[in-house]
C-alpha cells in the first residue's frame, strides 16, 4: 500500500524558490494557477496543499540559515 504522506521542502529548495518567484509577480498568482487547472489536473493536485505551500515558502523564517550568517 502506497503512503500519501508528503514532506515540506526546505525553504532553500528549488520548489520554494519557484514559488517565491511566482509570487513575486503578484500575491494572487498561485490562486491564478489553481484556477487554471484542468479537471484532470485538479484530481492530481490538491489546491489546499498548493495554497499552504505558497504560505509556507513565502513566510519569513524566524532564524537565519547558515548561508546567511554574518561575519563580525
Amino acid at each position: 500500500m502506497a503512503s500519501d504522506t508528503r514532506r515540506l521542502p526546505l525553504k532553500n529548495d528549488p520548489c520554494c524558490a519557484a514559488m517565491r518567484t511566482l509570487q513575486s509577480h503578484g500575491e494572487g498568482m498561485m490562486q491564478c494557477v489553481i484556477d487554471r487547472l484542468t479537471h484532470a489536473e485538479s484530481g492530481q493536485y490538491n489546491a489546499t496543499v498548493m495554497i499552504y505551500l505558497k504560505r509556507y515558502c513565502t513566510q519569513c523564517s524566524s532564524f537565519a540559515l547558515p548561508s546567511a550568517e554574518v561575519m563580525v
Side-chain angles (χ1 to χ4, degrees):
M1 177 196 248
S3 174
D4 191 28
T5 58
R6 296 183 180 120
R7 294 182 188 203
L8 287 172
L10 297 174
K11 299 282 181 135
N12 61 349
D13 186 85
C15 179
C16 274
M19 184 66 66
R20 287 190 297 274
T21 299
L22 175 67
Q23 287 304 113
S24 73
H25 296 290
E27 177 59 31
M29 291 304 294
M30 179 49 69
Q31 186 61 52
C32 181
V33 169
I34 291 167
D35 291 345
R36 297 183 62 88
L37 293 175
T38 65
H39 182 70
E41 291 168 333
S42 293
Q44 186 177 2
Y45 301 104
N46 184 322
T48 302
V49 172
M50 292 171 73
I51 292 295
Y52 178 79
L53 187 61
K54 177 199 85 151
R55 290 183 185 133
Y56 168 78
C57 289
T58 58
Q59 72 185 9
C60 294
S61 297
S62 59
F63 61 91
L65 295 174
S67 61
E69 291 179 355
V70 176
M71 301 297 282
V72 180

